Amino acid sequence: MEASMSKVIKPLSTELALSATVGNTVSTATMVRLVNLSAGDLTITRSNSSNTKIGTFSMFADGEAFVRKDSTDILFASGAGANATSIAILD
């Protein structure tokens, strides 16, 4: 998914790598920009603070996605290469 030119993002945290084993709140973000820097597809998982899976989606190689989540929700990636940063979307 490409960001529309009418949408501007405001980074709110330093970009970090997501892990397959340790979930991350991405600085307690409610909106996250994800980028897959690997040559392969990854599965992104969103879980609540009790580590109960809420949902998953596939992120294609070299892909970008935006995820809205609760501040205590944690994100995982199925492998190396998924980076995340907390953002705000400005119109």
Side-chain angles (χ1 to χ4, degrees), residues 14-27:
T14 302
E15 191 171 78
L16 55 86
L18 291 182
S19 166
T21 57
V22 178
N24 198 304
T25 65
V26 191
S27 301

Side-chain angles (χ1 to χ4, degrees), residues 3-22:
S4 167
M5 291 302 290
S6 65
K7 299 291 183 188
V8 176
I9 65 169
K10 178 181 178 180
L12 301 175
S13 70
T14 302
E15 191 171 78
L16 55 86
L18 291 182
S19 166
T21 57
V22 178

